[in-house]
């Protein structure tokens, strides 16, 4: 083993140590140099090379009607900005040369703001001093609101702004905007979005948000030498579409019927729900509230969210319990006296008590005339000593069932139960509670629960859960289906249901619900008029408000649809049958008209009128239609009719033909439009510069400006239709 030679080895180790020390000092010195003297340079390099992950928004799914029509869809919208720290503004001579043409172009696109205002606004952003001492805003609004795609392309094509983004500084942010092709139709049920946040706000948009929203993607974005390069990491998954049960035509019909009646009676609120009997599909749902400007709009989904004392439509539930329990039958008679009956220290009154009441009436007649005494007497007599049995019956027939409606804010019925204390007495339960509960007070139901209960009666006792969405689809493929769901297989004995169906049909044919009926088909239903409690003031504080209802189904002999109409109104007159019943009539007639045969031959019978009643107005158009129907016409006009210009005149039905004669009108004189349809009358008057307001429907019955009087442009003419 050789001896360690320290004189040779140690100098070598010393040299290596010195070299390494010098290298370490050099590296440390270089690092200090970069961090101080070269800081600005490397900061600029870092700014040119950025890497971050960006979330990519998916396309939101559509909301479709039952027949596939778009009720809500997404379209792109943009917010536009200027980046005044882009390379184009390092030497801003080009910007200064183009700013006037840019601002003129912006003014042409957004006329509400002048070119000078645009220039001052943009120059303010260019000279803005930021917190870090730099000049020029990175995200300066060109226009404060979102714009559509066409407007965005107009802005992008302006001089200077049409250059690449890093050269012009023009940048934008894209959003998914929600649009409803049918406007406000079923607005609160379809739902809405918070525009600024792109989040669901209400209705089906909110309830099915996770399905409609889809899944965001991820993109790796790198900035290299002032240019962005996007590298997809995960692709976004677009949202699926939901197919609702809403029928656009039925919805439009129901909304118009409700609004027309509200305007006529100056109502405060109107609700209508149309449900398909067999499936529970909600075909139309209307919620109209009178706003401060006097117009009616959907502000809240009252049909599912409002808890109300239902009034007399609840009497059907009371009698259904009594009939199903077998304590009474249709032969039972009640002595209602003169319309006032003492009930445990309070007076129960019928609506006609000032006219002497109904005297002794049968149980079915009590519902036909909506006798408060008749219903409350039966329930108090047979359930007064055991109110739990009556309330249990209400739960048994399903009217108290929580339907779990798939809309945020939906309320469940509140029907309180009596509770016995240790001494056998009922707590918080007066002797008058049961009689008043039996006629629709001291209980709270949302309208959707009432219509579901009546739908069960129409459906021979089977209660269906209200269905708003039928299925979820994507790219033509069904991802999920929501079949009709039975809540209760049988709410009462079949014979009890049959008896109630007959009674409800008589309510319309020979009771207070006549205005809801139709000459074309049978209708069954029940009226309701309830006084609305004013909180601590009870029912007698200030102006009395009423909750007017009509619930029923049609055709009564083969039910297809159930409908509930509710109206909130202040002051008298107030009638569930005369007001809500009228709306029910309009809806049912319109819905059933879609099922009528369209063949003229099929419509003929021995009593039918072969020659139609033709309205006055454009008799040239009437002549065209009549000739194609093979109906003989006698015309009395001259001049060129080949151009298709309207010929205004009168039409008169004769035995085997229609006689039509021309009426000449002077431009500056008021024409006679009585007997015309609304379309022809409005066209004729507006073509003369008049402003027209129409009230009612049918033919023009009267006009506010007299026939033959001088007129001038801007005059207002009110037309009253039959």
């Amino acid at each position: 083993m050789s001896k360690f030679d320290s004189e040779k080895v140690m100098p070598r180790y010393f040299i290596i140590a010195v070299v390494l020390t010098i290298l370490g000092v050099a590296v440390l010195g270089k690092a200090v140099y970069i961090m101080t003297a070269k800081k600005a340079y490397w900061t600029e390099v870092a700014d040119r090379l950025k890497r971050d992950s960006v979330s990519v928004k998916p396309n939101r799914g559509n909301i479709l009607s039952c027949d596939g029509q778009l009720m809500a869809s997404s379209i792109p919208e943009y917010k536009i900005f200027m980046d005044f720290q882009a390379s184009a503004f390092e030497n801003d001579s080009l910007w200064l040369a183009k700013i006037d043409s840019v601002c003129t172009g912006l003014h042409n696109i957004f006329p509400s703001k002048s070119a000078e205002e645009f220039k001052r606004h943009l120059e303010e952003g260019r000279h803005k001093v930021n917190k870090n001492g730099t000049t020029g805003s990175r995200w300066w609004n060109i226009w404060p609101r979102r714009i559509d795609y066409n407007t965005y392309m107009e802005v992008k094509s302006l001089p200077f702004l049409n250059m690449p983004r890093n050269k012009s500084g023009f940048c934008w942010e894209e959003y998914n905007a929600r649009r409803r092709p049918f406007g406000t139709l079923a607005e609160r049920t379809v739902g809405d979005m918070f525009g600024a946040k792109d989040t669901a706000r209400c209705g089906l948009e909110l309830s099915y948000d996770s399905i409609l929203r889809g899944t965001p993607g991820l993109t790796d974005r790198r900035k290299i030498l002032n240019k962005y390069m996007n590298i997809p990491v995960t692709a976004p998954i677009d949202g699926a579409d939901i197919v609702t049960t809403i029928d656009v035509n039925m919805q439009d019909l129901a909304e118009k019927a409700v609004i027309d009646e509200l305007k006529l009676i100056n109502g405060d609120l109107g609700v209508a729900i149309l449900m398909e009997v067999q499936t529970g599909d909600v075909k139309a749902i209307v919620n109209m509230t009178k706003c401060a400007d006097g117009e009616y709009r959907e502000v809240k989904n009252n049909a599912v969210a409002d808890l109300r004392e239902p009034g007399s439509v609840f009497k059907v539930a009371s009698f259904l319990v009594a009939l199903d329990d077998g304590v009474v039958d249709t032969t039972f008679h009640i002595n209602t006296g003169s319309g006032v009956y003492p009930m445990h220290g309070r007076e129960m009154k019928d609506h006609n008590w000032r006219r002497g009441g109904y005297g002794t009436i049968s149980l079915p007649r009590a519902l036909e005339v909506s006798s408060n005494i008749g219903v409350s007497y039966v329930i108090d007599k047979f359930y007064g000593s055991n109110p739990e049995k009556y309330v249990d019956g209400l739960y048994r027939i399903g009217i108290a069932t929580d339907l779990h409606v798939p809309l945020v804010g939906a309320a469940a019925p509140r029907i309180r139960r009596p509770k016995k204390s240790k001494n056998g007495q009922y707590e918080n339960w007066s002797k008058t509670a049961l009689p008043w509960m039996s006629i629709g007070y001291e209980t709270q139901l949302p309208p959707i629960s009432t219509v579901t209960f009546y739908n069960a009666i129409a459906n021979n006792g089977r209660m269906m859960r209200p269905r708003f969405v039928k299925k979820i689809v994507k790219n033509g493929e069904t991802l999920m289906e929501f079949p009709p769901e039975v809540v209760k297989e049988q709410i009462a004995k079949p014979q009890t249901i049959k008896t109630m169906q007959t009674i409800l049909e008589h309510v319309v044919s020979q009771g207070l619900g006549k205005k809801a009926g139709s000459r074309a088909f049978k209708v069954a239903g029940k009226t309701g008029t309830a006084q609305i409690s004013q909180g601590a003031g009870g029912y007698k504080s200030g102006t009395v408000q009423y909750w007017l209802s009509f619930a029923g189904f049609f055709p009564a002999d083969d039910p297809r649809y159930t409908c509930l109409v509710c109206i909130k109104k202040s002051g008298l007159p107030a009638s569930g049958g005369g007001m809500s019943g009228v709306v029910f009539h309009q809806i049912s007639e319109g819905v059933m008209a879609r099922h009528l045969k369209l063949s003229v031959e099929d419509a003929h019978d021995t009593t039918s009128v072969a020659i139609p009643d033709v309205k006055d107005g454009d008799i040239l158009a009437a002549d065209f239609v009549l000739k194609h129907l093979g109906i003989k016409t006698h015309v009395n006009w001259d001049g060129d009719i080949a151009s298709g210009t309207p010929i205004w005149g009168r039409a008169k039905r004769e035995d085997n033909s229609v006689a039509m004669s021309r009426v000449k009108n002077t431009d500056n004189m008021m024409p006679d439009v009585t007997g015309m349809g609304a379309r022809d009358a409005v066209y004729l008057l507006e073509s003369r510069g008049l402003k027209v307001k129409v009230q009612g429907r049918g033919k023009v019955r009267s006009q506010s400006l007299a026939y033959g009087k001088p007129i001038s442009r801007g005059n207002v003419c009110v037309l009253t239709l039959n």
Side-chain angles (χ1 to χ4, degrees):
M1 185 170 150
S2 60
K3 183 180 179 181
F4 176 75
D5 191 349
S6 60
E7 292 181 357
K8 292 182 179 180
V9 173
M10 290 305 296
R12 296 174 185 173
Y13 278 115
F14 178 75
I15 293 171
I16 292 171
V18 170
V19 171
L20 291 176
T21 302
I22 294 172
L23 286 174
V25 172
V27 170
L28 184 62
K30 185 66 173 180
V32 172
Y33 175 74
I34 291 172
M35 293 171 61
T36 55
K38 288 291 186 177
K39 179 182 178 181
Y41 170 80
W42 288 109
T43 300
E44 184 178 352
V45 171
D47 286 338
R48 293 181 180 178
L49 177 60
K50 288 185 177 179
R51 175 177 176 174
D52 55 2
S53 295
V54 179
S55 178
V56 181
K57 293 181 180 179
N59 292 318
R60 190 173 180 85
N62 301 317
I63 298 179
L64 309 172
S65 67
C66 64
D67 58 353
Q69 297 187 70
L70 277 175
M71 298 193 75
S73 183
S74 292
I75 61 171
E77 279 190 347
Y78 302 83
K79 288 200 74 173
I80 50 176
F81 309 92
M82 285 298 295
D83 177 8
F84 287 108
Q85 293 187 25
S87 59
F89 297 96
E90 293 176 2
N91 181 6
D92 53 11
S93 58
L94 181 60
W95 167 255
L96 294 175
K98 296 290 186 179
I99 185 171
D100 289 334
S101 57
V102 170
C103 294
T104 300
L106 290 172
H107 165 66
N108 293 334
I109 298 171
F110 308 105
S112 60
K113 195 170 184 178
S114 67
E116 291 74 17
E117 288 174 317
F118 272 114
K119 186 173 182 178
R120 285 195 300 269
H121 174 69
L122 293 175
E123 284 294 283
E124 180 186 349
R126 188 168 73 92
H127 293 102
K128 181 181 178 181
V129 179
N130 302 304
K131 292 181 180 179
N132 59 4
T134 59
T135 301
S137 173
R138 295 298 305 265
W139 291 91
W140 189 256
N141 269 328
I142 297 176
W143 185 247
R145 293 182 294 278
R146 292 186 187 182
I147 59 176
D148 59 32
Y149 178 77
N150 292 332
T151 307
Y152 158 75
M153 290 304 295
E154 286 186 64
V155 175
K156 195 176 180 181
S157 64
L158 292 175
F160 187 79
L161 302 185
N162 57 7
M163 296 190 299
R165 180 170 176 169
N166 64 313
K167 293 183 178 180
S168 67
F170 176 63
C171 49
W172 59 89
E173 195 168 353
E174 184 176 341
Y175 296 85
N176 273 331
R178 211 62 170 160
R179 287 292 178 269
R180 290 187 292 271
F182 292 99
T184 59
L185 206 68
E187 182 175 14
R188 293 298 297 190
T189 302
V190 172
D192 204 355
M193 305 282 290
F194 288 108
K197 300 178 182 179
D198 270 348
T199 55
R201 178 166 163 258
C202 61
L204 296 173
E205 291 276 18
L206 181 57
S207 299
Y208 291 85
D209 183 53
S210 59
I211 294 170
L212 293 165
R213 188 193 314 124
T215 305
L218 192 65
T219 291
D220 189 14
R221 187 173 68 170
R222 301 181 185 182
K223 184 179 180 183
I224 302 174
L225 297 176
N226 288 327
K227 291 185 179 180
Y228 282 100
M229 182 174 65
N230 293 325
I231 303 174
V233 178
T234 56
I237 302 173
D238 292 341
D241 302 337
I242 61 172
V243 180
T244 71
T245 60
I246 301 295
D247 184 294
V248 171
N249 294 320
M250 293 183 185
Q251 179 72 31
D252 184 50
L253 170 70
E255 286 192 12
K256 188 177 188 309
V258 170
I259 292 174
D260 284 350
E261 185 67 18
L262 288 174
K263 288 181 177 179
L264 185 64
I265 66 173
N266 193 28
D268 302 316
L269 172 68
V271 171
I273 308 172
L274 182 67
M275 181 178 286
E276 195 172 66
V277 170
Q278 297 293 327
T279 61
D281 286 1
V282 177
K283 309 305 290 184
I285 179 168
V286 182
N287 305 274
M288 289 296 166
T289 302
K290 189 176 184 180
C291 299
D293 60 359
E295 294 298 318
Y296 292 93
R297 302 184 184 90
E298 291 211 340
V299 178
K300 177 185 176 184
N301 203 328
N302 309 88
V304 301
D306 274 11
L307 286 169
R308 300 273 183 180
E309 291 179 316
S312 296
V313 293
F314 194 80
K315 293 173 182 175
V316 174
S318 296
F319 269 1
L320 192 67
V321 170
L323 288 167
D324 202 47
D325 285 342
V327 298
V328 290
D329 58 24
T330 55
T331 63
F332 188 83
H333 282 70
I334 309 113
N335 182 10
T336 64
S338 59
V340 180
Y341 189 88
M343 194 75 71
H344 304 294
R346 292 177 62 185
E347 288 185 339
M348 179 69 71
K349 295 180 179 180
D350 279 337
H351 67 92
N352 69 336
W353 67 276
R354 289 188 176 88
R355 301 193 299 274
Y358 289 109
T360 300
I361 55 176
S362 66
L363 183 141
R365 187 62 180 166
L367 271 189
E368 290 172 18
V369 297
S370 197
S371 170
N372 293 334
I373 297 173
V375 177
S376 60
Y377 174 84
V378 169
I379 300 303
D380 188 62
K381 176 179 175 63
F382 294 103
Y383 298 94
S385 59
N386 187 11
E388 289 174 289
K389 184 179 179 182
Y390 168 73
V391 176
D392 287 343
L394 293 177
Y395 278 82
R396 183 181 73 245
I397 65 174
I399 197 167
T401 303
D402 185 352
L403 299 172
H404 299 289
V405 174
L407 292 171
V408 176
R414 293 179 184 174
I415 299 179
R416 62 193 184 102
R417 290 180 177 272
K419 294 182 180 179
K420 279 187 178 180
S421 60
K422 292 181 180 179
N423 60 7
Q425 300 296 318
Y426 289 106
E427 297 177 349
N428 300 321
W429 190 270
S430 66
K431 290 185 177 181
T432 60
L434 199 63
W436 264 263
M437 177 184 285
S438 70
I439 62 171
Y441 292 94
E442 301 202 16
T443 61
Q444 291 183 314
L445 300 178
I448 192 71
S449 291
T450 302
V451 75
T452 302
F453 169 69
Y454 274 80
N455 193 72
I457 296 175
N459 200 23
N460 296 321
R462 174 181 284 188
M463 179 173 280
M464 307 300 297
R465 192 180 308 281
R467 186 166 67 151
F468 289 84
V469 175
K470 296 169 69 173
K471 58 184 177 180
I472 298 169
V473 298
K474 188 172 184 180
N475 300 325
E477 180 184 349
T478 300
L479 303 181
M480 186 184 301
E481 288 194 73
F482 301 94
E485 185 179 351
V486 179
V487 178
K488 281 184 175 290
E489 191 63 44
Q490 198 69 34
I491 65 170
K493 299 181 184 75
Q495 185 56 47
T496 305
I497 296 295
K498 290 294 182 184
T499 300
M500 186 56 68
Q501 289 174 343
T502 302
I503 294 174
L504 292 177
E505 185 180 335
H506 290 166
V507 170
V508 177
S509 62
Q510 55 198 40
L512 297 182
K514 289 181 179 178
K515 289 191 176 181
S518 170
R519 287 182 289 183
F521 51 89
K522 292 181 179 180
V523 172
K526 179 69 183 73
T527 62
T529 303
Q531 198 170 324
I532 298 176
S533 173
Q534 304 298 311
Y539 296 93
K540 298 180 180 179
S541 176
T543 302
V544 179
Q545 291 185 314
Y546 295 93
W547 186 249
L548 315 174
S549 307
F550 187 90
F553 47 89
F554 58 94
D557 48 359
D558 182 21
R560 297 185 189 180
Y561 300 98
T562 303
C563 183
L564 170 70
V565 178
C566 302
I567 292 175
K568 180 183 176 184
K569 182 184 183 296
S570 301
L572 294 172
S575 168
M579 294 175 179
S580 294
V582 170
V583 179
F584 181 99
H585 168 80
Q586 299 291 351
I587 294 173
S588 62
E589 290 265 297
V591 169
M592 290 305 295
R594 303 177 66 190
H595 299 281
L596 296 178
K597 293 182 178 179
L598 301 180
S599 171
V600 176
E601 289 74 18
D602 288 342
H604 282 179
D605 59 31
T606 56
T607 61
S608 66
V609 178
I611 306 301
D613 184 15
V614 181
K615 295 177 183 177
D616 298 335
D618 183 5
I619 54 178
L620 177 61
D623 181 58
F624 177 83
V625 173
L626 291 171
K627 285 181 177 177
H628 278 72
L629 290 174
I631 297 173
K632 187 178 180 180
T633 60
H634 297 288
V635 298
N636 179 20
W637 64 63
D638 53 6
D640 180 19
I641 63 173
S643 63
T645 303
I647 295 179
W648 306 107
R650 302 285 181 189
K652 182 181 179 182
R653 185 173 68 188
E654 297 179 344
D655 291 339
N656 297 310
S657 62
V658 176
M660 291 179 285
S661 58
R662 185 171 193 163
V663 175
K664 293 186 177 180
N665 299 305
T666 307
D667 288 344
N668 60 350
M669 305 296 277
M670 181 64 190
D672 182 6
V673 296
T674 57
M676 293 187 184
R679 179 179 298 180
D680 282 352
V682 171
Y683 177 84
L684 177 58
L685 296 181
E686 288 188 345
S687 66
R688 283 163 167 72
L690 297 177
K691 295 182 179 179
V692 185
K693 293 183 178 179
V694 179
Q695 298 176 347
R697 62 179 65 187
K699 292 182 181 180
V700 178
R701 186 178 67 208
S702 62
Q703 55 191 61
S704 61
L705 299 180
Y707 166 58
K709 296 292 184 181
I711 56 174
S712 57
R713 299 186 70 84
N715 288 158
V716 178
C717 181
V718 179
L719 302 180
T720 304
L721 280 59
N722 289 331

